[in-house]
Amino acid sequence: MSETAALRAAGIVAGYGDREVLGGIDLELPRGQVTTVVGPNGCGKSTFVRVLSRLLRPTSGDVLLEGQSIGSFGGRELARRLAMLPQSPVAPEGMTVGELAARGRQPHQPWYRQWSREDEEIAGQAMEATGVADLADRPLEELSGGQRQRAWIAMALAQRTDLLLLDEPTSHLDLAHAVEVLDLVVALRRDAGKTVVLVLHDLSLAARYSDHLVVMDAGRVVATGAPAEVVTETMLSTVFGIDAHVFPDPVAGLPTVVPVGHA
């Protein structure tokens, strides 16, 4: 495992029951970067992130966190190193933003001390960082989609981990709220040095907000690298089955995808 990798998948085979979803993945995820996993529906993106976070144990292979098998960590110790936000997370009815952020401190609380001033300060800082501090007393169900997503990310930040895994954090959000969440992700990498792994569907947004892309197809990694290297018309035809034009946007020069039709 290279020194620049925060997380490594080594020969991962995984699935559900007799159905194999991941057919052998070897991949290093770079430290201090935003890595986005993309691919067609059903290709195994979410399953892969579940394996990376130990929510799903692989049939074979291993995940290495800082060079150590992820299976060797206790639950609380792992939660102090890695925060995972799954798709469509659910909280108890009536839970407020502040109560949700406080949950992120649970891995750091010993049995003899359930809450401290330090926990309060860290949860408050997480809400400030995500722009939801003024919503601390509001129930989650009263918030907009973008506000809820930022509240969940605040909980993940309160865990004080160096590594964040976010499975489709922009799912069901309109473009404005999706950009709001992704701007926050980039700020976490830039200002706090976080390593972030995302799953996204929108290729243009993935190219714009990522340092590193991973393309999956049929349970395997078929391409990795910088967005400008990975997002090509050939890849879109081969992996997604679409004809598309790819051109650099006039502001940042990042690849923009304009679909034309089925390949």
Side-chain angles (χ1 to χ4, degrees), residues 31-33 161-163 187-196:
R31 188 191 319 276
Q33 294 190 16
T161 65
D162 292 328
L163 179 59
L188 293 175
R189 188 266 294 157
R190 181 190 63 231
D191 300 334
K194 302 287 187 184
T195 300
V196 186

Side-chain angles (χ1 to χ4, degrees), residues 8 44 60 94 107 127 137-138 143 149-150 152 161-162 164 170 183 200 203 207 242 249:
R8 179 188 172 196
S60 62
M127 288 188 288
D137 296 327
R138 293 271 300 278
L143 305 183
Q149 288 293 69
R150 287 191 281 120
W152 281 102
T161 65
D162 292 328
L164 294 176
T170 62
D183 281 341
L200 292 179
L203 288 172
I242 60 171
D249 74 73

